[in-house]
Amino acid sequence: MQSFKLQPLQSSLVKNLVFFTPISRSFHNSKQSLVDEPPKPVHFKFKLPALRAETLVGGGKKRIDKQHEKGKLTARERLDILLDKDSFREYDAFVEHRCTSFGMDKQHIPGDGIITGHGLINGRLAYLFSQDFTVFGGSLSEEHAKKMCKIMDKAVLVGAPVIGLNDSGGARIHEGVDSLAGYAEVFQRNVSTSGVVPQLSVIMGPCAGGAVYSPAITDFVFMVKNTSYMFVTGPDVVRAVCHENVTQEELGGSKAHTMKSGVAHFAYENDIETLMKVREFFDFLPLSNRESVPVRYTEDSRFRQDAILDTIVPLDPNKPYDMRDIIHRLVDDSHFFEVMPDFARNIVVGFGRMEGKTTAFVANQPKELAGCLDINASKKGARFVRFCDAFHIPIVTLIDVPGFLPGTDQEWNGIISNGAKLIYAYAEVTVPKIAICVRKSYGGAYCVMSSKHLRGDMNYSWPTGEIAVMGAKGAVEIIFRGQDLKKAEADYTEQLCNPLPACKRGFIDDVIIPSTTRTRICEDLEVLKNKKLDNPWKKHGNIPL
Amino acid sequence: MSKQFIRSFATKPVFDKILVANRGEIACRIMRTAKKMGIKTVGVYSDADLSSLHVAKADEVVRVGPAPSNQSYLIIENIINAAKKTGAQAIHPGYGFLSEKREFSKAVADNGMVFIGPHADAIDQMGCKIASKKIAKAAGVNVIPGYVGEVFTPEEVLKIAHQIGYPIMIKAAGGGGGKGMRVAWNDEEAKEGIRLSKEEAKSAFDDDRIFIEKFIDNPRHIEIQVLADNYGNAVYVNERECSIQRRNQKVIEEAPSIFLDPATRKKMGEQAVMLCHAVKYNSAGTCEFIVDPNKNFYFLEMNTRLQVEHPVTEYTTGLDLVEHMIRVAAGEKLSVKQSDIGINGWATECRVYAEDPERGFLPSIGTLVKYKEPEIPEDKSIRIDTGFIDGAEISMFYDPLISKLITYGKTRNESIQRMKEALDSYVIEGVNHNIPFLRAILDQPRYVEGKITTKYIPEMWPDGFKGVVLKPDEKEQLAAGAIIMDLLRAEKAHTISGKLQGFKHDPQSEFVVQFLEEKYNCDVEKTKDGYIITANGNKNIVKDIDWIVDDHIFKATINNKKVVLQMIKPKPEGFVIRHLGTKFDVFVRTKRQAELAPFMPEPIVLDTSKFLVAPMPGMIFSITDKKPGDKVNAGEELCIIEAMKMQNLLKCEKDTTIKKINVKTGQNVGVDEILIEYGD
């Protein structure tokens, strides 16, 4: 097979370019003819280089400098970083808006504030758009939206992920309802695309108003620290309506969304770091729901056993440890890409690889809130589990959960319906499900966390597992009210706070030596590779949203 | 076949079962010899140590109490009960903890068991530094001029100080390991020193008695290992040089000493044996001497136990000191004569501590996220004594010693060279450690020449250690290594399935590497057995690349020099790499990335000058009684944090006012926790 290489006009050329004056003037024949005959039209092929060059400079040098001053890269520079060298193929570079009101007919910039096309990340195809803040502030016009829709349609057609780099001031107000229509068309595409190909959003500047709902529908949202923000209504409106004084950064910066709201999944230091992390993350994702998970070469053997796993769980049931230490020792090359590391830290979700194949991990984190499930943890876990199901990514669940978090705050904000999301998600998925009870698995939380009863394929326990309705202390206070609680507690612990009762019922398939866990997971994933399970036909279920 | 040979196999081991009343590396080390001798071992553990290596190594284990050592390892009754419960016939105390407690030795004997160490009177006599000096003097051993006796009040200290003249050394009478020990050069330092020494001694040994002696400048610390039995036999097993010390804590030890001539060695050895006879010593022990530049030596103290640094002696003499201790304790006669003991080769020991050499050696605790020891070569010229495995936790309750790394060579230089290589491929991540510092010490020409004294460290790093300073070729090695890592990682990423087949991976050939203030423009050329990396015009020929992508240890030959780098973690644009022990944040950028990188904003950092932050995790031992709004002056003592048995004094760095105090005495704090907020 022959490898081909186009001669792409790299945006690295941009800074060497002269900035062209409008075409109509610059392409008059410069030779003055002596005879008074009409000038001959210049053949288009001679005009093309200049036209092409014009598409590369966006809003012009001044605006590009301004973008750089803000610590941001331009839309094209971002694609240079994100994609394999020379792999970007642009479409619609010459698209211009059709608005005529408010003097817009006099302002045309080819591309209309967005760069779209396809490109490669480590050789794999992705469809991309990159909003150009230097052109009309990256505002969304009818044509701008059309370009977005075009690549999304293509992505679904051929089965490759969509990556959106957002840097837009919002709607092109001059266009009125045309702009709004554009947004709605994009939302519709986002929804139709959801579950067909992965969609990633990278917020690299402002993303305000209705615009936020497109990233919100996509699967994963990246933000850049200090230079990006997302909100439905900005600080001015907040001040006028709620009399709250708040900065853009406080209201909708990366901290707000990765720690408080959970709208964004990741945040990194700057544009380059963020885009490099997108590349790394992309490698975990299948291209579409028609393909299986990607496989990568590794020298890490399935037989690797880390002795420390045998003693990593403290015997004192109240002593915390970092569940991620366990995950790091299970996955290939200790490479675990945690999703939403700063939100609902009592549950850990993310991707690793087992023998080169992408595998999802969901784990309670005893280091935070003792690993309790609460509203945020349930939402975080449920959405992640459903993503994995949509794209055939097997799920390994590590359990150390004392139960659901109590309190009025939780109850009044709906821990019931939110907790139900996680049950719904785990019960609905049909991908291979392997669960390992590391320590506590109590009460309703036992049922939720990939239990046998929710069609868990393999359910193991480490010898440190404790599977019961509740911890010994609480249980004996109910069962043995007014009796010798100390002895009762010891009896209860002896009888129930171990994996044996669950093993006797077959709810736990086996008790395994912790250091053999990696081997077991690899074996099981291979065994379960051709698992076939279908849910009863329905239009769709009704998850308690 | 000789009868004797058969009999030695037929005889029962000297004991059936012994208890090791210690933890960590020394407990593991003792169990190793016990196992070799066919003796079963009993380990003891506190709640913090249930998962420790020494517990895994023991045949049986008994819990002796909660985590703090004064409620577990230091409780004689618990240890004795553990031994009785398991039927141990003898107890080896290791070093530290109860090893030099007379009461313990006595309790062991009173309960019908054998103490693997000297008899209680010897411990008693030598344990008190004041009494030991008197005995030594009487036995004809050279001693330092000073005040032989115990002092109580600051006034007394000042009086004595004026008599013998500054500088003086304040020492804890019941101490060891540098704790409770301080030098004072004037009255003020003497007053502060005595207070801190007393407090430290009290918390470390529960004994706040102190004494004073003349401080000898530019000394070497050389000690003599002795072995003695119950029958009046005693030998000296030559010297160890322990001059490389930081605040009186030994850092690097070696045997033999480059400084001693055979005559001085013999004189020192004979005096040590004289002292043994004087106290009827009957185990392994160590006589510490300080040796002045004119080879005058003075007795310092005798340690009536196995020393931390005993492995260097074992390497150079071929003796197993623990085995001799056990045999002697069982009543056997010493099986070596003075004439049997020689010196063969050279051994160096580095104490690898969990501490931060770039932050004033503050203790560091946490999980050993990655712990991988250097490979032991076939000739066994590397030895690692440790109590930890990959993933284990360094607890705040005990000594921060991670391991002892010992290397052997036919010559001193060979031993040093081997040590450097071993340190470079020793992976310890998760806690800060002193390998960068150890590596820097060994790299100094002064060390290699052997011009060392106990003042070596303060003289070489008067303003504290700030990391290894790379030489130009070492910088290029780092740049070249980082580029190759990046190329190989990219190659691995391209093994992914689902690629468009027509598009071939085209490796980058131009890079810009940046770390610290350095910037290298590099061109890469692939050769048939490696790469040529031209860094700022200088050619680096890289061959023999040995790296499993994403593994920690990267080996290559760069310009015919063997280079070991540790890839600690990949970053979005490069790697964190350890080179010669020190960590570097290395940016590896393609040409395009390098063009765009200058546009990235500087990261925002917290202004720490407005806060007093905890430099390490620990417990607030005391906090200033100043109130918000009160003025404080630069140098004023604001807080003492106790961590790893050490008290760390935190002082105010500038004249300011207190805005808020966030902590209380007794509270546990984490690293970088804000203790006090300052006003403007």
Side-chain angles (χ1 to χ4, degrees):
Chain A
M1 197 162 292
Q2 204 190 351
S3 92
F4 71 98
K5 213 179 258 180
L6 281 176
Q7 190 56 53
L9 277 156
Q10 272 298 305
S11 48
S12 50
L13 295 176
V14 167
K15 55 179 184 193
N16 303 325
L17 285 171
V18 259
F19 287 86
F20 291 88
T21 43
I23 299 158
S24 49
R25 258 176 283 140
S26 61
F27 285 96
H28 273 305
N29 203 338
S30 56
K31 266 188 204 161
Q32 287 296 318
S33 177
L34 297 171
V35 199
D36 195 19
E37 57 179 306
K40 254 193 178 169
V42 179
H43 194 283
F44 180 72
K45 78 174 178 189
F46 298 117
K47 287 191 202 168
L48 184 60
L51 284 171
R52 175 86 64 193
E54 200 184 5
T55 68
L56 298 180
V57 296
K61 186 164 185 327
K62 243 167 125 183
R63 291 216 174 84
I64 290 175
D65 288 346
K66 207 153 179 210
Q67 179 85 347
H68 286 159
E69 271 165 35
K70 284 189 218 153
K72 303 198 298 183
L73 297 180
T74 66
R76 273 182 203 282
E77 289 165 348
R78 286 169 178 163
L79 292 174
D80 283 350
I81 300 289
L82 177 62
L83 297 173
D84 294 351
K85 206 167 135 199
D86 302 338
S87 75
F88 183 56
R89 300 291 174 265
E90 186 175 357
Y91 326 143
D92 298 342
F94 301 105
V95 164
E96 290 179 356
H97 70 78
R98 303 193 294 179
C99 181
T100 50
S101 11
F102 309 107
M104 284 301 283
D105 48 341
K106 302 210 175 52
Q107 294 184 52
H108 284 283
I109 298 177
D112 206 23
I114 188 163
I115 297 157
T116 57
H118 71 247
L120 303 179
I121 293 179
N122 286 324
R124 294 197 313 153
L125 185 63
Y127 282 86
L128 308 114
F129 67 80
S130 179
Q131 290 180 314
D132 189 346
F133 194 78
T134 66
V135 178
F136 307 123
S139 62
L140 186 133
S141 68
E142 178 195 10
E143 295 301 321
H144 180 120
K146 267 194 192 161
K147 284 177 73 175
M148 286 166 89
C149 292
K150 190 176 186 180
I151 58 124
M152 285 196 253
D153 291 341
K154 276 230 156 61
V156 170
L157 206 62
V158 307
V162 179
I163 304 176
L165 310 185
N166 298 63
D167 189 358
S168 160
R172 184 90 48 90
I173 302 167
H174 318 69
E175 294 197 3
V177 75
D178 282 346
S179 173
L180 295 184
Y183 275 121
E185 292 280 349
V186 172
F187 300 158
Q188 178 62 53
R189 296 299 186 298
N190 284 137
V191 174
S192 300
T193 307
S194 180
V196 182
V197 299
Q199 300 181 79
L200 308 184
S201 296
V202 192
I203 315 298
M204 312 192 78
C207 181
V212 297
Y213 288 112
S214 171
I217 298 166
T218 63
D219 300 303
F220 298 100
V221 178
F222 290 73
M223 288 183 82
V224 184
K225 287 182 188 169
N226 304 314
T227 53
S228 75
Y229 49 90
M230 294 171 85
F231 36 69
V232 174
T233 48
D236 294 342
V237 181
V238 170
R239 195 174 304 117
V241 178
C242 316
H243 310 291
E244 272 182 85
N245 266 322
V246 65
T247 63
Q248 280 187 344
E249 180 63 28
E250 282 165 2
L251 184 63
S254 64
K255 254 193 194 149
H257 289 312
T258 54
M259 295 165 106
K260 293 196 177 104
S261 74
V263 165
H265 299 74
F266 312 98
Y268 300 102
E269 287 309 319
N270 56 47
D271 280 13
I272 297 181
E273 273 197 17
T274 307
L275 294 165
M276 292 304 285
K277 289 304 266 190
V278 174
R279 278 179 70 88
E280 185 186 333
F281 186 69
F282 184 84
D283 281 356
F284 285 97
L285 304 178
L287 294 174
S288 75
N289 65 351
R290 309 199 277 272
E291 296 201 28
S292 46
V293 295
V295 194
R296 235 177 70 154
Y297 174 78
T298 180
E299 295 208 27
D300 206 349
S301 151
R302 73 158 64 169
F303 300 109
R304 174 171 57 80
Q305 298 190 353
D306 280 12
I308 191 67
L309 290 180
D310 294 332
T311 51
I312 204 165
V313 177
L315 282 205
D316 176 353
N318 298 319
K319 204 177 157 207
Y321 57 93
D322 192 341
M323 186 59 97
R324 288 173 301 189
D325 289 346
I326 295 178
I327 301 175
H328 280 289
R329 285 172 191 282
L330 296 178
V331 297
D332 290 355
D333 306 314
S334 298
H335 188 187
F336 176 61
F337 202 116
E338 190 176 352
V339 172
M340 297 182 109
D342 298 320
F343 181 74
R345 288 190 291 201
N346 38 335
I347 196 163
V348 174
V349 303
F351 298 112
R353 294 187 180 88
M354 298 302 278
E355 294 189 312
K357 298 185 191 74
T358 302
T359 308
F361 285 81
V362 178
N364 308 111
Q365 172 59 290
K367 232 177 78 168
E368 295 284 333
L369 292 174
C372 270
L373 289 173
D374 61 358
I375 293 172
N376 286 343
S378 304
K379 291 200 299 199
K380 172 178 166 183
R383 185 125 201 270
F384 182 73
V385 164
R386 297 190 96 214
F387 174 84
C388 297
D389 189 42
F391 294 101
H392 316 299
I393 303 169
I395 300 165
V396 174
T397 307
L398 302 170
I399 304 159
D400 186 352
V401 59
F404 281 96
L405 188 68
T408 49
D409 170 65
Q410 289 288 311
E411 295 292 351
W412 294 347
N413 285 303
I415 182 66
I416 297 174
S417 55
N418 283 292
K421 288 175 185 167
L422 191 56
I423 303 183
Y424 196 107
Y426 262 120
E428 188 186 33
V429 305
T430 57
V431 292
K433 282 190 279 188
I434 300 168
I436 293 128
C437 177
V438 170
R439 190 164 66 177
K440 293 173 214 171
S441 183
Y442 286 153
Y446 156 77
C447 308
V448 180
M449 297 300 292
S450 196
S451 66
K452 203 66 174 172
H453 327 285
L454 300 185
R455 306 192 297 195
D457 293 302
M458 294 311 291
N459 292 70
Y460 297 115
S461 176
W462 285 5
T464 41
E466 302 171 18
I467 303 159
V469 175
M470 57 174 77
K473 199 159 181 286
V476 296
E477 271 167 18
I478 297 168
I479 309 173
F480 303 99
R481 193 164 294 168
Q483 299 175 36
D484 177 9
L485 291 186
K486 246 196 170 143
K487 188 182 173 298
E489 198 180 317
D491 284 351
Y492 183 96
T493 307
E494 180 81 30
Q495 275 185 42
L496 292 182
C497 290
N498 64 64
L500 198 59
C503 290
K504 284 185 177 167
R505 296 280 183 274
F507 302 156
I508 291 289
D509 296 302
D510 200 0
V511 180
I512 59 173
I513 304 299
S515 53
T516 63
T517 307
R518 174 174 161 85
T519 315
R520 292 300 275 263
I521 295 174
C522 289
E523 283 173 8
D524 287 337
L525 287 175
E526 196 178 3
V527 168
L528 293 166
K529 202 174 70 186
N530 296 319
K531 173 186 175 185
K532 178 114 179 66
L533 175 66
D534 289 314
N535 288 322
W537 188 91
K538 55 182 124 179
K539 194 172 169 199
H540 58 70
N542 186 16
I543 187 165
L545 288 175
Chain B
M1 183 71 94
S2 85
K3 251 184 189 166
Q4 210 179 355
F5 177 79
I6 294 163
R7 205 180 61 210
S8 76
F9 262 75
T11 43
K12 272 177 49 168
V14 289
F15 295 110
D16 296 320
K17 196 191 268 183
I18 63 171
L19 181 140
V20 181
N22 215 305
R23 62 179 300 281
E25 66 90 12
I26 194 61
C28 298
R29 191 262 165 272
I30 293 163
M31 287 173 192
R32 198 166 66 221
T33 289
K35 227 156 256 183
K36 183 184 82 182
M37 296 171 72
I39 303 169
K40 290 224 155 50
T41 54
V42 180
V44 291
Y45 66 92
S46 74
D47 290 341
D49 270 340
L50 181 59
S51 315
S52 294
L53 188 60
H54 79 272
V55 172
K57 294 253 180 211
D59 295 310
E60 301 173 60
V61 286
V62 183
R63 177 186 176 272
V64 288
S69 49
N70 57 11
Q71 296 170 43
S72 52
Y73 296 110
L74 286 170
I75 305 280
I76 293 176
E77 196 191 337
N78 295 4
I79 306 281
I80 298 283
N81 286 342
K84 286 211 282 205
K85 202 170 113 189
T86 52
Q89 296 154 320
I91 298 181
H92 196 305
Y95 56 72
F97 292 141
L98 296 171
S99 61
E100 289 174 289
K101 277 258 186 300
R102 172 204 162 85
E103 300 79 16
F104 183 57
S105 170
K106 196 168 168 302
V108 174
D110 289 350
N111 282 280
M113 289 173 284
V114 178
F115 180 75
I116 303 175
H119 61 87
D121 288 341
I123 296 177
D124 210 19
Q125 289 163 339
M126 293 295 106
C128 170
K129 291 186 183 177
I130 301 162
S132 73
K133 252 176 219 181
K134 288 181 183 159
I135 294 168
K137 206 169 175 181
V141 178
N142 308 351
V143 295
I144 312 181
Y147 178 77
V148 183
E150 190 187 323
V151 288
F152 299 94
T153 64
E155 290 71 37
E156 273 183 273
V157 173
L158 294 187
K159 211 178 106 194
I160 299 158
H162 294 154
Q163 273 170 18
I164 60 174
Y166 284 108
I168 58 158
M169 176 79 110
I170 303 163
K171 285 182 169 180
K179 295 196 174 81
M181 197 188 278
R182 270 179 170 78
V183 179
W185 296 77
N186 54 46
D187 284 3
E188 205 175 305
E189 285 179 9
K191 274 190 276 183
E192 187 181 321
I194 187 162
R195 184 173 61 84
L196 289 171
S197 286
K198 268 183 181 284
E199 274 171 19
E200 246 178 58
K202 177 88 184 154
S203 87
F205 323 110
D206 198 22
D207 176 356
D208 67 353
R209 291 175 303 151
I210 54 164
F211 73 98
I212 290 175
E213 66 192 17
K214 171 107 183 133
F215 176 65
I216 291 178
D217 215 4
N218 282 323
R220 285 171 178 257
H221 178 122
I222 298 174
E223 60 190 26
I224 300 286
Q225 173 74 48
V226 293
L227 273 176
D229 65 14
N230 294 335
Y231 311 98
N233 302 310
V235 295
Y236 60 91
V237 197
N238 295 325
E239 81 280 7
R240 290 184 286 262
E241 160 113 40
C242 314
S243 296
I244 304 294
Q245 302 186 352
R246 193 186 61 77
R247 288 174 59 190
N248 298 312
Q249 180 92 22
K250 294 166 191 166
V251 179
I252 297 179
E253 301 103 338
E254 60 183 319
S257 162
I258 195 167
F259 189 60
L260 290 196
D261 51 61
T264 317
R265 175 177 298 127
K266 187 156 182 277
K267 256 196 280 175
M268 287 172 77
E270 281 168 358
Q271 287 200 4
V273 168
M274 272 150 60
L275 184 60
C276 287
H277 289 311
V279 293
K280 299 198 167 56
Y281 200 76
N282 61 336
S283 186
T286 298
C287 294
E288 296 193 340
F289 290 92
I290 57 171
V291 183
D292 75 11
N294 303 318
K295 289 192 182 144
N296 297 313
F297 58 90
Y298 306 99
F299 172 74
L300 214 51
E301 59 175 316
M302 180 168 188
N303 295 318
T304 57
R305 54 164 156 88
L306 188 65
Q307 291 280 84
V308 176
E309 58 274 21
H310 73 275
V312 289
T313 300
E314 296 188 325
Y315 254 138
T316 49
T317 60
L319 300 181
D320 180 336
L321 294 176
V322 173
E323 182 179 343
H324 282 280
M325 280 181 91
I326 295 174
R327 289 194 182 281
V328 166
E332 288 190 10
K333 270 193 181 154
L334 209 53
S335 58
V336 285
K337 295 193 293 289
Q338 192 63 56
S339 55
D340 301 337
I341 297 162
I343 298 175
N344 178 20
W346 215 287
T348 310
E349 174 180 283
C350 281
R351 296 192 187 189
V352 180
Y353 282 107
E355 60 187 14
D356 189 346
E358 289 177 49
R359 278 175 95 170
F361 295 90
L362 294 169
S364 173
I365 60 171
T367 305
L368 294 172
V369 176
K370 187 78 201 169
Y371 178 83
K372 200 173 161 217
E373 294 174 352
E375 265 173 56
I376 308 287
E378 257 172 48
D379 65 359
K380 302 259 189 285
S381 53
I382 298 179
R383 165 174 167 182
I384 301 149
D385 283 14
T386 183
F388 297 100
I389 62 168
D390 184 24
E393 195 169 323
I394 311 264
S395 136
M396 64 179 276
F397 296 105
Y398 314 109
D399 196 71
L401 182 71
I402 300 173
S403 77
K404 302 181 313 203
L405 176 61
I406 312 109
T407 56
Y408 176 78
K410 279 190 217 74
T411 61
R412 187 167 185 268
N413 281 345
E414 199 180 303
S415 163
I416 293 172
Q417 188 51 36
R418 195 155 285 149
M419 179 61 81
K420 285 185 191 174
E421 286 165 19
L423 286 172
D424 284 348
S425 52
Y426 196 168
V427 182
I428 304 173
E429 298 303 329
V431 295
N432 289 311
H433 54 76
N434 64 341
I435 287 182
F437 183 55
L438 294 168
R439 194 65 182 73
I441 294 174
L442 296 175
D443 255 346
Q444 302 301 324
R446 189 178 149 189
Y447 180 85
V448 178
E449 287 161 25
K451 289 182 187 154
I452 49 179
T453 70
T454 55
K455 284 164 80 181
Y456 179 83
I457 289 172
E459 280 171 3
M460 296 301 290
W461 290 276
D463 305 318
F465 177 68
K466 296 276 176 274
V468 171
V469 182
L470 297 184
K471 298 184 199 81
D473 63 320
E474 292 165 345
K475 287 178 188 164
E476 284 173 29
Q477 290 163 4
L478 181 57
I483 287 174
I484 291 165
M485 287 177 196
D486 195 81
L487 287 166
L488 296 178
R489 253 187 135 239
E491 216 168 84
K492 181 173 174 180
H494 272 274
T495 62
I496 198 165
S497 62
K499 293 202 297 179
L500 294 191
Q501 291 304 312
F503 209 89
K504 263 177 70 185
H505 169 49
D506 178 19
Q508 301 279 350
S509 59
E510 282 173 85
F511 289 91
V512 178
V513 179
Q514 263 178 291
F515 53 90
L516 302 176
E517 312 289 296
E518 309 294 330
K519 186 173 171 185
Y520 289 94
N521 293 308
C522 301
D523 291 316
V524 179
E525 189 190 323
K526 191 147 178 27
T527 58
K528 65 175 193 301
D529 57 352
Y531 295 89
I532 295 173
I533 293 179
T534 313
N536 287 353
N538 296 333
K539 266 196 179 171
N540 289 273
I541 298 164
V542 188
K543 283 193 275 195
D544 312 322
I545 297 161
D546 177 9
W547 190 47
I548 297 172
V549 179
D550 289 338
D551 193 25
H552 275 70
I553 300 288
F554 172 97
K555 289 184 187 166
T557 310
I558 301 180
N559 288 342
N560 293 321
K561 224 172 150 186
K562 265 196 210 166
V563 174
V564 181
L565 302 176
Q566 293 187 15
M567 196 283 285
I568 293 169
K569 63 172 183 197
K571 298 187 306 162
E573 305 171 79
F575 304 90
V576 179
I577 298 175
R578 211 179 262 287
H579 188 23
L580 303 172
T582 295
K583 253 194 244 188
F584 295 91
D585 219 355
V586 185
F587 288 87
V588 181
R589 294 189 173 111
T590 61
K591 207 172 150 222
R592 184 67 181 138
Q593 284 172 337
E595 279 166 11
L596 298 177
F599 298 125
M600 295 297 98
E602 289 287 315
I604 298 165
V605 283
L606 184 79
D607 178 12
T608 49
S609 68
K610 292 223 163 84
F611 309 103
L612 181 74
V613 295
M616 81 210 98
M619 193 197 71
I620 302 292
F621 182 79
S622 72
I623 184 108
T624 178
D625 47 12
K626 292 256 162 83
K627 300 273 170 300
D630 287 354
K631 278 210 170 91
V632 282
N633 301 320
E636 201 171 321
E637 183 182 312
L638 289 179
C639 178
I640 297 176
I641 293 186
E642 195 174 77
M644 302 235 174
K645 303 190 291 184
M646 294 284 278
Q647 287 180 8
N648 301 277
L649 209 109
L650 305 185
K651 289 176 181 171
C652 187
E653 278 172 18
K654 56 174 186 181
D655 296 344
T656 181
T657 54
I658 289 184
K659 196 167 138 202
K660 201 174 158 212
I661 297 174
N662 294 332
V663 291
K664 286 198 221 72
T665 304
Q667 186 180 334
N668 281 309
V669 292
V671 67
D672 286 339
E673 198 168 319
I674 295 171
L675 308 174
I676 294 175
E677 293 174 32
Y678 299 131
D680 297 315

